[in-house]
mmCIF file of all heavy atoms in Angstrom:
data_model
loop_
_atom_site.group_PDB
_atom_site.id
_atom_site.type_symbol
_atom_site.label_atom_id
_atom_site.label_comp_id
_atom_site.label_asym_id
_atom_site.label_seq_id
_atom_site.Cartn_x
_atom_site.Cartn_y
_atom_site.Cartn_z
ATOM 1 N N MET K 1 70.593 35.334 129.742
ATOM 2 C CA MET K 1 70.058 36.202 130.773
ATOM 3 C C MET K 1 71.075 36.687 131.700
ATOM 4 O O MET K 1 71.983 35.955 132.019
ATOM 5 C CB MET K 1 68.924 35.369 131.535
ATOM 6 C CG MET K 1 68.300 36.250 132.643
ATOM 7 S SD MET K 1 67.102 35.231 133.544
ATOM 8 C CE MET K 1 65.635 35.376 132.520
ATOM 9 N N LYS K 2 71.037 37.923 132.114
ATOM 10 C CA LYS K 2 71.964 38.429 133.077
ATOM 11 C C LYS K 2 71.316 39.340 134.045
ATOM 12 O O LYS K 2 70.204 39.942 133.802
ATOM 13 C CB LYS K 2 73.135 39.158 132.359
ATOM 14 C CG LYS K 2 72.722 40.402 131.691
ATOM 15 C CD LYS K 2 73.976 41.058 131.038
ATOM 16 C CE LYS K 2 73.548 42.224 130.236
ATOM 17 N NZ LYS K 2 74.675 43.010 129.681
ATOM 18 N N ALA K 3 71.911 39.490 135.205
ATOM 19 C CA ALA K 3 71.354 40.370 136.290
ATOM 20 C C ALA K 3 72.362 41.538 136.350
ATOM 21 O O ALA K 3 73.531 41.409 136.348
ATOM 22 C CB ALA K 3 71.317 39.601 137.601
ATOM 23 N N ILE K 4 71.781 42.748 136.498
ATOM 24 C CA ILE K 4 72.499 43.916 136.678
ATOM 25 C C ILE K 4 72.052 44.602 137.935
ATOM 26 O O ILE K 4 70.880 44.815 138.195
ATOM 27 C CB ILE K 4 72.196 44.925 135.446
ATOM 28 C CG1 ILE K 4 72.636 44.245 134.181
ATOM 29 C CG2 ILE K 4 72.983 46.247 135.656
ATOM 30 C CD1 ILE K 4 71.970 44.818 132.925
ATOM 31 N N ILE K 5 73.043 44.896 138.762
ATOM 32 C CA ILE K 5 72.749 45.518 140.113
ATOM 33 C C ILE K 5 73.198 46.897 140.074
ATOM 34 O O ILE K 5 74.370 47.354 139.679
ATOM 35 C CB ILE K 5 73.507 44.742 141.239
ATOM 36 C CG1 ILE K 5 73.144 43.275 141.232
ATOM 37 C CG2 ILE K 5 73.188 45.432 142.587
ATOM 38 C CD1 ILE K 5 73.983 42.465 142.215
ATOM 39 N N ASP K 6 72.210 47.728 140.510
ATOM 40 C CA ASP K 6 72.595 49.218 140.679
ATOM 41 C C ASP K 6 73.325 49.308 142.046
ATOM 42 O O ASP K 6 72.655 49.356 143.146
ATOM 43 C CB ASP K 6 71.338 50.054 140.627
ATOM 44 C CG ASP K 6 71.577 51.474 141.073
ATOM 45 O OD1 ASP K 6 72.731 51.889 141.177
ATOM 46 O OD2 ASP K 6 70.557 52.243 141.200
ATOM 47 N N THR K 7 74.633 49.315 142.024
ATOM 48 C CA THR K 7 75.394 49.193 143.338
ATOM 49 C C THR K 7 75.234 50.433 144.127
ATOM 50 O O THR K 7 75.383 50.389 145.413
ATOM 51 C CB THR K 7 76.878 48.881 143.068
ATOM 52 O OG1 THR K 7 77.287 49.742 141.966
ATOM 53 C CG2 THR K 7 77.071 47.459 142.582
ATOM 54 N N ASP K 8 74.911 51.568 143.463
ATOM 55 C CA ASP K 8 74.719 52.766 144.352
ATOM 56 C C ASP K 8 73.533 52.685 145.221
ATOM 57 O O ASP K 8 73.491 53.186 146.328
ATOM 58 C CB ASP K 8 74.445 53.989 143.403
ATOM 59 C CG ASP K 8 75.788 54.510 142.715
ATOM 60 O OD1 ASP K 8 76.873 54.085 143.270
ATOM 61 O OD2 ASP K 8 75.755 55.202 141.743
ATOM 62 N N SER K 9 72.501 51.860 144.723
ATOM 63 C CA SER K 9 71.301 51.705 145.524
ATOM 64 C C SER K 9 71.354 50.476 146.472
ATOM 65 O O SER K 9 70.600 50.469 147.523
ATOM 66 C CB SER K 9 70.071 51.506 144.608
ATOM 67 O OG SER K 9 69.937 52.663 143.811
ATOM 68 N N CYS K 10 72.139 49.483 146.187
ATOM 69 C CA CYS K 10 72.247 48.295 146.973
ATOM 70 C C CYS K 10 72.604 48.651 148.439
ATOM 71 O O CYS K 10 73.568 49.410 148.655
ATOM 72 C CB CYS K 10 73.245 47.373 146.381
ATOM 73 S SG CYS K 10 73.619 45.878 147.478
ATOM 74 N N ILE K 11 71.802 48.157 149.412
ATOM 75 C CA ILE K 11 72.093 48.408 150.877
ATOM 76 C C ILE K 11 72.784 47.176 151.505
ATOM 77 O O ILE K 11 72.987 47.196 152.683
ATOM 78 C CB ILE K 11 70.772 48.668 151.643
ATOM 79 C CG1 ILE K 11 69.780 47.596 151.450
ATOM 80 C CG2 ILE K 11 70.169 50.073 151.161
ATOM 81 C CD1 ILE K 11 68.645 47.662 152.391
ATOM 82 N N GLY K 12 73.116 46.216 150.687
ATOM 83 C CA GLY K 12 73.995 45.083 151.150
ATOM 84 C C GLY K 12 73.296 44.210 152.061
ATOM 85 O O GLY K 12 73.963 43.591 152.945
ATOM 86 N N CYS K 13 71.940 44.027 151.924
ATOM 87 C CA CYS K 13 71.203 43.173 152.839
ATOM 88 C C CYS K 13 71.577 41.693 152.647
ATOM 89 O O CYS K 13 71.254 40.856 153.600
ATOM 90 C CB CYS K 13 69.802 43.398 152.762
ATOM 91 S SG CYS K 13 69.030 42.688 151.191
ATOM 92 N N GLY K 14 71.965 41.290 151.513
ATOM 93 C CA GLY K 14 72.360 39.905 151.252
ATOM 94 C C GLY K 14 71.250 38.944 150.819
ATOM 95 O O GLY K 14 71.473 37.763 150.644
ATOM 96 N N LEU K 15 70.042 39.504 150.783
ATOM 97 C CA LEU K 15 68.929 38.618 150.458
ATOM 98 C C LEU K 15 69.038 37.935 149.033
ATOM 99 O O LEU K 15 68.763 36.739 148.892
ATOM 100 C CB LEU K 15 67.644 39.453 150.444
ATOM 101 C CG LEU K 15 66.293 38.773 150.547
ATOM 102 C CD1 LEU K 15 66.274 37.937 151.832
ATOM 103 C CD2 LEU K 15 65.128 39.763 150.523
ATOM 104 N N CYS K 16 69.588 38.703 148.135
ATOM 105 C CA CYS K 16 69.717 38.050 146.783
ATOM 106 C C CYS K 16 70.729 36.905 146.802
ATOM 107 O O CYS K 16 70.586 35.927 146.077
ATOM 108 C CB CYS K 16 70.173 39.195 145.754
ATOM 109 S SG CYS K 16 71.647 40.062 146.210
ATOM 110 N N VAL K 17 71.754 37.086 147.537
ATOM 111 C CA VAL K 17 72.742 36.011 147.718
ATOM 112 C C VAL K 17 72.139 34.769 148.345
ATOM 113 O O VAL K 17 72.413 33.671 147.916
ATOM 114 C CB VAL K 17 73.981 36.506 148.527
ATOM 115 C CG1 VAL K 17 74.996 35.404 148.667
ATOM 116 C CG2 VAL K 17 74.582 37.685 147.938
ATOM 117 N N ASN K 18 71.280 34.957 149.365
ATOM 118 C CA ASN K 18 70.511 33.916 149.889
ATOM 119 C C ASN K 18 69.600 33.239 148.885
ATOM 120 O O ASN K 18 69.504 32.043 148.825
ATOM 121 C CB ASN K 18 69.629 34.459 151.100
ATOM 122 C CG ASN K 18 70.342 34.441 152.419
ATOM 123 O OD1 ASN K 18 71.455 33.901 152.525
ATOM 124 N ND2 ASN K 18 69.728 35.021 153.394
ATOM 125 N N ASP K 19 68.913 34.053 148.108
ATOM 126 C CA ASP K 19 67.870 33.569 147.166
ATOM 127 C C ASP K 19 68.492 32.774 146.061
ATOM 128 O O ASP K 19 68.002 31.835 145.513
ATOM 129 C CB ASP K 19 67.027 34.693 146.683
ATOM 130 C CG ASP K 19 65.942 35.113 147.636
ATOM 131 O OD1 ASP K 19 65.699 34.342 148.627
ATOM 132 O OD2 ASP K 19 65.394 36.200 147.453
ATOM 133 N N CYS K 20 69.665 33.371 145.509
ATOM 134 C CA CYS K 20 70.195 32.821 144.339
ATOM 135 C C CYS K 20 71.679 32.892 144.345
ATOM 136 O O CYS K 20 72.338 33.834 143.650
ATOM 137 C CB CYS K 20 69.680 33.625 143.138
ATOM 138 S SG CYS K 20 70.091 32.883 141.513
ATOM 139 N N PRO K 21 72.362 32.179 145.159
ATOM 140 C CA PRO K 21 73.925 32.142 145.309
ATOM 141 C C PRO K 21 74.589 31.774 143.950
ATOM 142 O O PRO K 21 75.771 32.069 143.845
ATOM 143 C CB PRO K 21 74.213 31.116 146.369
ATOM 144 C CG PRO K 21 72.962 30.306 146.497
ATOM 145 C CD PRO K 21 71.801 31.132 146.020
ATOM 146 N N GLU K 22 73.855 31.181 143.018
ATOM 147 C CA GLU K 22 74.462 30.885 141.731
ATOM 148 C C GLU K 22 74.800 32.097 140.945
ATOM 149 O O GLU K 22 75.678 32.098 140.057
ATOM 150 C CB GLU K 22 73.590 29.932 140.983
ATOM 151 C CG GLU K 22 73.374 28.543 141.571
ATOM 152 C CD GLU K 22 72.290 28.493 142.619
ATOM 153 O OE1 GLU K 22 71.606 29.627 142.890
ATOM 154 O OE2 GLU K 22 71.988 27.418 143.197
ATOM 155 N N VAL K 23 74.033 33.140 141.185
ATOM 156 C CA VAL K 23 74.160 34.359 140.477
ATOM 157 C C VAL K 23 74.817 35.572 141.322
ATOM 158 O O VAL K 23 75.716 36.326 140.730
ATOM 159 C CB VAL K 23 72.835 34.898 139.836
ATOM 160 C CG1 VAL K 23 72.970 36.292 139.203
ATOM 161 C CG2 VAL K 23 72.395 33.832 138.884
ATOM 162 N N PHE K 24 74.491 35.646 142.470
ATOM 163 C CA PHE K 24 74.925 36.805 143.278
ATOM 164 C C PHE K 24 75.894 36.380 144.325
ATOM 165 O O PHE K 24 75.896 35.366 145.024
ATOM 166 C CB PHE K 24 73.664 37.436 143.995
ATOM 167 C CG PHE K 24 72.670 37.890 143.027
ATOM 168 C CD1 PHE K 24 71.412 37.120 142.845
ATOM 169 C CD2 PHE K 24 72.759 39.083 142.257
ATOM 170 C CE1 PHE K 24 70.441 37.444 141.910
ATOM 171 C CE2 PHE K 24 71.786 39.401 141.331
ATOM 172 C CZ PHE K 24 70.665 38.622 141.142
ATOM 173 N N GLU K 25 76.854 37.334 144.657
ATOM 174 C CA GLU K 25 77.719 37.164 145.816
ATOM 175 C C GLU K 25 78.015 38.576 146.309
ATOM 176 O O GLU K 25 77.832 39.590 145.705
ATOM 177 C CB GLU K 25 78.972 36.528 145.349
ATOM 178 C CG GLU K 25 79.833 37.298 144.395
ATOM 179 C CD GLU K 25 81.066 36.489 143.929
ATOM 180 O OE1 GLU K 25 81.348 35.353 144.411
ATOM 181 O OE2 GLU K 25 81.794 37.108 143.076
ATOM 182 N N MET K 26 78.488 38.532 147.597
ATOM 183 C CA MET K 26 78.804 39.815 148.188
ATOM 184 C C MET K 26 80.261 40.133 147.858
ATOM 185 O O MET K 26 81.147 39.352 147.852
ATOM 186 C CB MET K 26 78.698 39.742 149.754
ATOM 187 C CG MET K 26 77.267 39.514 150.195
ATOM 188 S SD MET K 26 76.009 40.640 149.651
ATOM 189 C CE MET K 26 76.475 42.159 150.445
ATOM 190 N N ALA K 27 80.523 41.438 147.568
ATOM 191 C CA ALA K 27 81.858 41.978 147.383
ATOM 192 C C ALA K 27 81.929 43.176 148.337
ATOM 193 O O ALA K 27 81.300 44.145 148.175
ATOM 194 C CB ALA K 27 82.048 42.438 145.985
ATOM 195 N N ALA K 28 82.657 42.948 149.475
ATOM 196 C CA ALA K 28 82.601 43.936 150.542
ATOM 197 C C ALA K 28 81.147 44.043 150.982
ATOM 198 O O ALA K 28 80.512 43.128 151.262
ATOM 199 C CB ALA K 28 83.266 45.251 150.142
ATOM 200 N N ASP K 29 80.572 45.264 150.938
ATOM 201 C CA ASP K 29 79.214 45.475 151.470
ATOM 202 C C ASP K 29 78.185 45.622 150.436
ATOM 203 O O ASP K 29 77.080 46.016 150.699
ATOM 204 C CB ASP K 29 79.226 46.697 152.391
ATOM 205 C CG ASP K 29 79.691 48.005 151.689
ATOM 206 O OD1 ASP K 29 80.189 47.882 150.528
ATOM 207 O OD2 ASP K 29 79.487 49.012 152.292
ATOM 208 N N LYS K 30 78.547 45.236 149.219
ATOM 209 C CA LYS K 30 77.519 45.318 148.107
ATOM 210 C C LYS K 30 77.461 43.906 147.392
ATOM 211 O O LYS K 30 78.362 43.203 147.393
ATOM 212 C CB LYS K 30 77.995 46.308 147.047
ATOM 213 C CG LYS K 30 78.281 47.704 147.605
ATOM 214 C CD LYS K 30 76.978 48.477 147.729
ATOM 215 C CE LYS K 30 77.328 49.979 148.109
ATOM 216 N NZ LYS K 30 76.037 50.739 148.231
ATOM 217 N N ALA K 31 76.308 43.736 146.765
ATOM 218 C CA ALA K 31 76.127 42.502 146.024
ATOM 219 C C ALA K 31 76.626 42.732 144.544
ATOM 220 O O ALA K 31 76.596 43.881 143.990
ATOM 221 C CB ALA K 31 74.675 42.056 145.945
ATOM 222 N N VAL K 32 77.228 41.723 144.000
ATOM 223 C CA VAL K 32 77.653 41.728 142.570
ATOM 224 C C VAL K 32 77.147 40.374 141.853
ATOM 225 O O VAL K 32 76.930 39.413 142.539
ATOM 226 C CB VAL K 32 79.184 41.835 142.363
ATOM 227 C CG1 VAL K 32 79.658 43.145 142.939
ATOM 228 C CG2 VAL K 32 79.894 40.676 143.082
ATOM 229 N N ALA K 33 76.913 40.558 140.568
ATOM 230 C CA ALA K 33 76.526 39.350 139.820
ATOM 231 C C ALA K 33 77.835 38.738 139.353
ATOM 232 O O ALA K 33 78.719 39.311 138.849
ATOM 233 C CB ALA K 33 75.707 39.760 138.549
ATOM 234 N N LYS K 34 77.911 37.397 139.562
ATOM 235 C CA LYS K 34 79.080 36.619 139.216
ATOM 236 C C LYS K 34 79.234 36.493 137.724
ATOM 237 O O LYS K 34 80.377 36.221 137.273
ATOM 238 C CB LYS K 34 78.983 35.255 139.856
ATOM 239 C CG LYS K 34 78.845 35.251 141.350
ATOM 240 C CD LYS K 34 79.283 33.864 141.897
ATOM 241 C CE LYS K 34 78.164 33.160 142.669
ATOM 242 N NZ LYS K 34 78.604 31.904 143.175
ATOM 243 N N GLY K 35 78.203 36.567 137.014
ATOM 244 C CA GLY K 35 78.263 36.286 135.541
ATOM 245 C C GLY K 35 76.818 36.089 135.040
ATOM 246 O O GLY K 35 75.832 36.276 135.734
ATOM 247 N N PRO K 36 76.709 35.563 133.829
ATOM 248 C CA PRO K 36 75.426 35.228 133.264
ATOM 249 C C PRO K 36 74.618 34.246 134.167
ATOM 250 O O PRO K 36 75.184 33.388 134.869
ATOM 251 C CB PRO K 36 75.786 34.563 131.909
ATOM 252 C CG PRO K 36 77.161 34.922 131.567
ATOM 253 C CD PRO K 36 77.861 35.137 132.966
ATOM 254 N N VAL K 37 73.306 34.355 134.074
ATOM 255 C CA VAL K 37 72.480 33.470 134.879
ATOM 256 C C VAL K 37 72.584 32.060 134.360
ATOM 257 O O VAL K 37 72.278 31.789 133.065
ATOM 258 C CB VAL K 37 71.016 33.928 134.791
ATOM 259 C CG1 VAL K 37 70.104 33.002 135.638
ATOM 260 C CG2 VAL K 37 70.891 35.437 135.387
ATOM 261 N N PRO K 38 72.975 31.050 135.146
ATOM 262 C CA PRO K 38 73.058 29.696 134.532
ATOM 263 C C PRO K 38 71.715 29.100 134.110
ATOM 264 O O PRO K 38 70.715 29.520 134.636
ATOM 265 C CB PRO K 38 73.653 28.920 135.770
ATOM 266 C CG PRO K 38 74.055 29.919 136.743
ATOM 267 C CD PRO K 38 73.390 31.164 136.490
ATOM 268 N N ALA K 39 71.803 28.207 133.221
ATOM 269 C CA ALA K 39 70.578 27.472 132.791
ATOM 270 C C ALA K 39 69.818 26.936 133.959
ATOM 271 O O ALA K 39 70.484 26.333 134.832
ATOM 272 C CB ALA K 39 70.930 26.464 131.797
ATOM 273 N N GLY K 40 68.530 27.138 134.046
ATOM 274 C CA GLY K 40 67.758 26.590 135.113
ATOM 275 C C GLY K 40 67.627 27.481 136.308
ATOM 276 O O GLY K 40 66.878 27.119 137.263
ATOM 277 N N LYS K 41 68.398 28.538 136.274
ATOM 278 C CA LYS K 41 68.239 29.444 137.453
ATOM 279 C C LYS K 41 67.524 30.757 137.165
ATOM 280 O O LYS K 41 67.663 31.663 137.962
ATOM 281 C CB LYS K 41 69.693 29.725 138.000
ATOM 282 C CG LYS K 41 70.415 28.591 138.563
ATOM 283 C CD LYS K 41 69.645 28.173 139.815
ATOM 284 C CE LYS K 41 70.113 26.881 140.380
ATOM 285 N NZ LYS K 41 69.250 26.420 141.506
ATOM 286 N N GLU K 42 66.919 30.856 136.027
ATOM 287 C CA GLU K 42 66.274 32.093 135.584
ATOM 288 C C GLU K 42 65.203 32.499 136.615
ATOM 289 O O GLU K 42 65.125 33.627 136.963
ATOM 290 C CB GLU K 42 65.645 31.874 134.209
ATOM 291 C CG GLU K 42 66.699 31.747 133.059
ATOM 292 C CD GLU K 42 67.105 30.293 132.864
ATOM 293 O OE1 GLU K 42 66.701 29.373 133.595
ATOM 294 O OE2 GLU K 42 67.805 30.060 131.876
ATOM 295 N N GLU K 43 64.314 31.557 136.977
ATOM 296 C CA GLU K 43 63.233 31.911 137.914
ATOM 297 C C GLU K 43 63.739 32.248 139.264
ATOM 298 O O GLU K 43 63.242 33.201 139.865
ATOM 299 C CB GLU K 43 62.257 30.689 137.968
ATOM 300 C CG GLU K 43 61.394 30.523 136.719
ATOM 301 C CD GLU K 43 60.748 31.820 136.253
ATOM 302 O OE1 GLU K 43 60.106 32.472 137.103
ATOM 303 O OE2 GLU K 43 60.813 32.202 134.967
ATOM 304 N N THR K 44 64.722 31.596 139.709
ATOM 305 C CA THR K 44 65.349 31.963 141.027
ATOM 306 C C THR K 44 65.982 33.351 141.008
ATOM 307 O O THR K 44 65.820 34.043 141.961
ATOM 308 C CB THR K 44 66.487 30.866 141.398
ATOM 309 O OG1 THR K 44 66.017 29.646 140.875
ATOM 310 C CG2 THR K 44 66.638 30.832 142.881
ATOM 311 N N CYS K 45 66.571 33.615 139.889
ATOM 312 C CA CYS K 45 67.246 34.905 139.753
ATOM 313 C C CYS K 45 66.158 36.047 139.720
ATOM 314 O O CYS K 45 66.283 37.093 140.406
ATOM 315 C CB CYS K 45 68.058 35.009 138.438
ATOM 316 S SG CYS K 45 68.907 36.524 138.319
ATOM 317 N N LYS K 46 65.067 35.753 139.102
ATOM 318 C CA LYS K 46 64.009 36.801 139.010
ATOM 319 C C LYS K 46 63.316 36.917 140.377
ATOM 320 O O LYS K 46 62.961 38.067 140.761
ATOM 321 C CB LYS K 46 62.879 36.316 137.985
ATOM 322 C CG LYS K 46 63.306 36.535 136.557
ATOM 323 C CD LYS K 46 62.059 36.087 135.709
ATOM 324 C CE LYS K 46 62.557 35.897 134.232
ATOM 325 N NZ LYS K 46 61.476 35.234 133.474
ATOM 326 N N THR K 47 63.151 35.813 141.118
ATOM 327 C CA THR K 47 62.640 35.982 142.440
ATOM 328 C C THR K 47 63.626 36.762 143.315
ATOM 329 O O THR K 47 63.124 37.637 144.112
ATOM 330 C CB THR K 47 62.538 34.539 143.025
ATOM 331 O OG1 THR K 47 61.679 33.707 142.280
ATOM 332 C CG2 THR K 47 62.086 34.552 144.543
ATOM 333 N N ALA K 48 64.957 36.601 143.224
ATOM 334 C CA ALA K 48 65.836 37.372 143.920
ATOM 335 C C ALA K 48 65.723 38.818 143.649
ATOM 336 O O ALA K 48 65.747 39.717 144.541
ATOM 337 C CB ALA K 48 67.262 36.908 143.708
ATOM 338 N N ALA K 49 65.517 39.195 142.401
ATOM 339 C CA ALA K 49 65.416 40.522 141.983
ATOM 340 C C ALA K 49 64.113 41.117 142.587
ATOM 341 O O ALA K 49 64.046 42.239 143.029
ATOM 342 C CB ALA K 49 65.353 40.652 140.459
ATOM 343 N N ALA K 50 62.997 40.263 142.503
ATOM 344 C CA ALA K 50 61.687 40.785 142.993
ATOM 345 C C ALA K 50 61.725 40.958 144.504
ATOM 346 O O ALA K 50 61.055 41.922 145.059
ATOM 347 C CB ALA K 50 60.637 39.759 142.708
ATOM 348 N N ASN K 51 62.562 40.236 145.297
ATOM 349 C CA ASN K 51 62.622 40.261 146.635
ATOM 350 C C ASN K 51 63.608 41.393 147.171
ATOM 351 O O ASN K 51 63.536 41.645 148.394
ATOM 352 C CB ASN K 51 63.064 38.873 147.282
ATOM 353 C CG ASN K 51 61.939 37.975 147.233
ATOM 354 O OD1 ASN K 51 60.748 38.262 146.955
ATOM 355 N ND2 ASN K 51 62.265 36.639 147.298
ATOM 356 N N CYS K 52 64.420 41.956 146.311
ATOM 357 C CA CYS K 52 65.375 42.978 146.794
ATOM 358 C C CYS K 52 64.554 44.107 147.407
ATOM 359 O O CYS K 52 63.682 44.750 146.754
ATOM 360 C CB CYS K 52 66.196 43.438 145.590
ATOM 361 S SG CYS K 52 67.233 44.845 146.033
ATOM 362 N N PRO K 53 64.879 44.486 148.642
ATOM 363 C CA PRO K 53 64.127 45.521 149.316
ATOM 364 C C PRO K 53 64.261 46.868 148.720
ATOM 365 O O PRO K 53 63.360 47.669 148.929
ATOM 366 C CB PRO K 53 64.716 45.580 150.754
ATOM 367 C CG PRO K 53 66.061 44.917 150.565
ATOM 368 C CD PRO K 53 66.025 43.917 149.468
ATOM 369 N N VAL K 54 65.378 47.116 147.906
ATOM 370 C CA VAL K 54 65.351 48.479 147.295
ATOM 371 C C VAL K 54 65.275 48.382 145.762
ATOM 372 O O VAL K 54 65.382 49.325 145.052
ATOM 373 C CB VAL K 54 66.654 49.212 147.659
ATOM 374 C CG1 VAL K 54 66.622 49.564 149.131
ATOM 375 C CG2 VAL K 54 67.933 48.416 147.250
ATOM 376 N N GLN K 55 64.825 47.191 145.288
ATOM 377 C CA GLN K 55 64.524 46.971 143.869
ATOM 378 C C GLN K 55 65.626 47.428 143.009
ATOM 379 O O GLN K 55 65.481 48.141 142.001
ATOM 380 C CB GLN K 55 63.262 47.677 143.472
ATOM 381 C CG GLN K 55 61.975 47.131 144.203
ATOM 382 C CD GLN K 55 61.605 45.662 143.660
ATOM 383 O OE1 GLN K 55 61.291 45.575 142.511
ATOM 384 N NE2 GLN K 55 61.821 44.634 144.471
ATOM 385 N N CYS K 56 66.946 47.058 143.345
ATOM 386 C CA CYS K 56 68.075 47.577 142.572
ATOM 387 C C CYS K 56 68.600 46.602 141.602
ATOM 388 O O CYS K 56 69.708 46.723 141.045
ATOM 389 C CB CYS K 56 69.123 48.137 143.467
ATOM 390 S SG CYS K 56 70.003 46.999 144.482
ATOM 391 N N ILE K 57 67.930 45.354 141.444
ATOM 392 C CA ILE K 57 68.372 44.407 140.556
ATOM 393 C C ILE K 57 67.515 44.309 139.348
ATOM 394 O O ILE K 57 66.239 44.226 139.388
ATOM 395 C CB ILE K 57 68.358 42.931 141.168
ATOM 396 C CG1 ILE K 57 69.150 42.936 142.488
ATOM 397 C CG2 ILE K 57 68.829 41.942 140.243
ATOM 398 C CD1 ILE K 57 68.902 41.623 143.241
ATOM 399 N N LYS K 58 68.125 44.414 138.134
ATOM 400 C CA LYS K 58 67.361 44.346 136.778
ATOM 401 C C LYS K 58 67.794 43.070 136.232
ATOM 402 O O LYS K 58 69.070 42.721 136.159
ATOM 403 C CB LYS K 58 67.727 45.566 136.010
ATOM 404 C CG LYS K 58 66.902 45.727 134.742
ATOM 405 C CD LYS K 58 67.090 47.155 134.164
ATOM 406 C CE LYS K 58 68.415 47.250 133.465
ATOM 407 N NZ LYS K 58 68.638 48.425 132.716
ATOM 408 N N VAL K 59 66.834 42.319 135.682
ATOM 409 C CA VAL K 59 67.181 41.046 134.955
ATOM 410 C C VAL K 59 66.766 41.207 133.560
ATOM 411 O O VAL K 59 65.624 41.634 133.284
ATOM 412 C CB VAL K 59 66.396 39.873 135.609
ATOM 413 C CG1 VAL K 59 66.712 38.511 134.918
ATOM 414 C CG2 VAL K 59 66.744 39.759 137.125
ATOM 415 N N GLU K 60 67.651 40.916 132.663
ATOM 416 C CA GLU K 60 67.414 40.999 131.240
ATOM 417 C C GLU K 60 68.050 39.989 130.432
ATOM 418 O O GLU K 60 68.940 39.233 130.903
ATOM 419 C CB GLU K 60 67.717 42.443 130.743
ATOM 420 C CG GLU K 60 69.209 42.734 130.873
ATOM 421 C CD GLU K 60 69.524 44.106 130.359
ATOM 422 O OE1 GLU K 60 68.690 45.088 130.569
ATOM 423 O OE2 GLU K 60 70.676 44.317 129.887
HETATM 424 FE FE1 F3S D 1 71.713 44.549 147.596
HETATM 425 FE FE2 F3S D 1 69.258 44.001 147.003
HETATM 426 FE FE3 F3S D 1 71.020 42.063 147.000
HETATM 427 S S1 F3S D 1 69.941 45.489 148.496
HETATM 428 S S2 F3S D 1 72.498 42.757 148.563
HETATM 429 S S3 F3S D 1 70.970 43.717 145.595
HETATM 430 S S4 F3S D 1 68.948 42.015 147.730
#
């Protein structure tokens, strides 16, 4: 599983980093995915995607 962020849409609120720091981190004023979603973090990652205020995280 991996998370893909539409960085053009990301407003840099940091909520995804709060929700799932194992997957997301801030790079300057945008969030980036560090890599594949680690085992056991799938649900947390999906929650982070669902909570993104601009819905710019896709999990697949
Ligand atoms: Fe950006 Fe959404 Fe995260 S706006 S910082 S991808 S919660």
Side-chain angles (χ1 to χ4, degrees):
M1 180 183 277
K2 64 179 177 177
I4 299 159
I5 301 173
D6 173 6
T7 46
D8 286 340
S9 301
C10 173
I11 57 170
C13 73
L15 200 57
C16 56
V17 180
N18 270 352
D19 282 346
C20 191
E22 295 82 2
V23 173
F24 303 101
E25 65 185 357
M26 298 306 291
D29 58 348
K30 305 279 185 176
V32 293
K34 298 199 242 184
V37 178
K41 290 296 168 188
E42 291 89 352
E43 288 308 312
T44 325
C45 183
K46 284 183 196 170
T47 300
N51 286 343
C52 174
V54 294
Q55 295 290 295
C56 69
I57 304 172
K58 192 167 71 174
V59 181
E60 61 183 31

